[in-house]
Amino acid sequence: MSVEQPVAVNPHPFLDGRPKRLLIDGKWVDSDSGQTLPTLNPANGEMLAEIPDGTASDVDRAVTAARRAFEGEWSRWSPYDRQRALVRLADLVEANYDDISMLDTLEMGAPWSRARISRRAVGLLHWFAAMAVTIHGETIPNSLPGQFLSYTVKEPVGVVGSIIPWNGPTTSAIWKIGPVLATGCTMVLKPAEEASLSSLRLGELCVEAGIPGGVVNIVTGRGEVTGAAIAAHPDIDKVAFTGSPETARHIVRASAGNMKRLTMELGGKSPNVVFADADLDAAIPGSATAVFMNCGQVCSAGSRLFVEEKIYDRVVEGVADVGSQLRVGPGSDLQTDMGPLVSEQQFSRVMSYFDVGRDEGAHQVSGGGRLREPALENGWFVEPTVFSQVHNDMRLAQEEIFGPVIAAIPFNDIDEVARLANATPYGLGSGVWTTDVRKAHALAARIRAGAVWVNCYQAMDPAVPFGGYKLSGYGRESGIQQLDEYLNVKAVWVNHG
Ligand code: NAP
Ligand code: MG
């Protein structure tokens, strides 16, 4: 379908009024709680669907199914069988992408016009399909006297508990499902309360793709209940988590009992550095998009904008201008550049940071409030916002806001900006805008973060590892590094003397 032809938003085929169910052992079942949670459209406050309010016993049932699948038929699937399943899933996701991305748009607000074009989930699945047949160990020479052969094999870690946030629901889910299928693990997926629908739809497509029952289980519900049950479950071998450092600490502690493998994709307060010699026609819109994209609800948003003193005013005015021109509205409207925040909670949080910025003495250059047009008054819409005269030690510059807020900080030279860029507990993304290649490499080497984007921001590819330093977490997603997080290495020694 061409981009110009929108599909029908209402009624959405997945929103048929019936309460959703859990996917356990290849079957759609009710929660033991018998209760549901409403899921709301942040653009107008309307209820979209009811999702099961899952319990610890639901998680337990899902883990039992996942363990059985891990040891059963699935374990006898060859890498080529798993590859074919991933290709079938990729084809199904691609064929249904408009509807799946619309579920995300309706549930968490992201502009549909962008979501449906990027189709990142499809690219990820193709990449994992390709990688499924490349996993192998090594033959390693050893120095033992006599004749010993030593080699390694890579084996799936087992049952994985995958817990994801709401800010990029389809991509997050596929980023967890892909490596499970590629390596031969099985999983219990816990989507975020605010955005579970696309995960449930992906579950249907996993069934349709012929993935055996129990390999992909989906348990919705509240994090403190179902997420906590996953973190503590003695028969889960690994937790793959994406979310906030606060929740991550709970998971680290709860996972200690059976020493689970963990990967942690957490938050950020990423520095984006613009030098005076940068191509400002690229750096200004690039720096604005680095924060305003997805209404600032991006873990690697370039929310600390460091600008060299000489061009500070020009860049600050430039990004504020870009922000003011964005069309803010419901994500389902094809004209929309920036949608609402995901929830009332997130809205209150972002609004409170507008006050924090003003109270700390930062200068509000643009935005800084709620959008009050009648058409938007029932949604969680805020203005793209720029603060200048920010010091790196202000809360505005140190705390992750997860909203469309730029904190602009001046600097004089590369030593100063390298020091300030690293003066944060986080280390996820970073940007450098300059036409001087030496400066770009010099700063890239000094920034302590999992990604440095030079003259671009948020470039991503399934083959290139993504993840954090410091409080932004550990482990990587994408790249062969991600597959290794789902594999154990076994050494085999053979005395053939
Ligand atoms: P969050 O509150 O940590 O929630 C993430 C997930 O954890 C949700 O599914 C949540 O369930 C669940 N959860 C909550 N409490 C739990 C507990 N005690 N035990 C186990 N699981 C629990 O994070 P969020 O506010 O939804 O998402 C925003 C954060 O995610 C930001 O910090 C952002 O930077 C980070 N993020 C990082 C990346 C990355 O790749 N590095 C990507 C996207 C987002 P409920 O929804 O039911 O609460
Ligand atoms: Mg939450």
Side-chain angles (χ1 to χ4, degrees), residues 236-267:
I236 288 182
D237 300 290
K238 169 194 165 69
V239 172
F241 176 72
T242 303
S244 62
E246 196 190 346
T247 305
R249 289 195 188 94
H250 285 292
I251 294 173
V252 170
R253 282 191 283 266
S255 69
N258 68 330
M259 213 58 79
K260 289 181 182 67
R261 291 269 298 268
L262 299 175
T263 42
M264 293 289 172
E265 294 287 353
L266 311 178

Side-chain angles (χ1 to χ4, degrees), residues 74-127:
W74 179 239
S75 67
R76 293 182 287 279
W77 279 40
S78 74
Y80 289 93
D81 295 333
R82 298 201 305 273
Q83 180 181 54
R84 275 194 291 273
L86 275 157
V87 169
R88 285 196 298 272
L89 182 60
D91 289 346
L92 286 168
V93 171
E94 181 152 41
N96 290 281
Y97 209 84
D98 280 340
D99 281 352
I100 296 172
S101 54
M102 180 54 90
L103 288 174
D104 286 350
T105 292
L106 294 174
E107 243 189 334
M108 51 71 62
W112 188 56
S113 56
R114 309 273 166 88
R116 60 196 286 259
I117 290 169
S118 87
R119 291 176 191 252
R120 249 174 79 201
V122 178
L124 279 164
L125 284 168
H126 282 138
W127 189 79

Side-chain angles (χ1 to χ4, degrees), residues 22-28 62-63 65-67 69-70 74 85-86 89 125 158-160 162 173-174 176-182 184-191 198-219:
L22 307 174
L23 179 60
I24 297 179
D25 211 7
K27 296 172 201 74
W28 294 96
V63 174
R67 177 62 60 190
F70 182 67
W74 179 239
L86 275 157
L89 182 60
L125 284 168
V159 177
V160 180
S162 306
I174 292 297
K176 306 294 192 221
I177 294 171
V180 160
L181 299 181
C185 292
T186 60
M187 76 191 300
V188 179
L189 174 66
K190 200 308 247 181
S198 58
S199 286
L200 293 171
R201 179 68 184 118
L202 290 170
E204 292 184 343
L205 297 182
C206 287
V207 174
E208 202 179 327
I211 293 159
V215 172
V216 177
N217 304 278
I218 305 176
V219 178

Side-chain angles (χ1 to χ4, degrees), residues 117-150:
I117 290 169
S118 87
R119 291 176 191 252
R120 249 174 79 201
V122 178
L124 279 164
L125 284 168
H126 282 138
W127 189 79
F128 285 115
M131 296 311 286
V133 298
T134 67
I135 296 163
H136 64 275
E138 297 171 303
T139 308
I140 305 172
N142 64 72
S143 307
L144 293 193
Q147 292 176 41
F148 282 85
L149 168 69
S150 45

Side-chain angles (χ1 to χ4, degrees), residues 165-183:
W166 42 259
N167 63 334
T170 297
T171 305
S172 289
I174 292 297
W175 235 348
K176 306 294 192 221
I177 294 171
V180 160
L181 299 181
T183 56

Side-chain angles (χ1 to χ4, degrees), residues 217-299:
N217 304 278
I218 305 176
V219 178
T220 58
R222 287 166 290 154
E224 322 84 75
V225 179
T226 49
I230 286 172
H233 201 289
D235 205 28
I236 288 182
D237 300 290
K238 169 194 165 69
V239 172
F241 176 72
T242 303
S244 62
E246 196 190 346
T247 305
R249 289 195 188 94
H250 285 292
I251 294 173
V252 170
R253 282 191 283 266
S255 69
N258 68 330
M259 213 58 79
K260 289 181 182 67
R261 291 269 298 268
L262 299 175
T263 42
M264 293 289 172
E265 294 287 353
L266 311 178
K269 192 73 189 181
S270 299
N272 179 34
V273 178
V274 184
F275 284 103
D277 61 16
D279 170 6
L280 294 188
D281 291 339
I284 288 172
S287 300
T289 308
V291 178
F292 299 144
M293 191 174 84
N294 213 25
C295 204
Q297 303 168 123
V298 176
C299 49

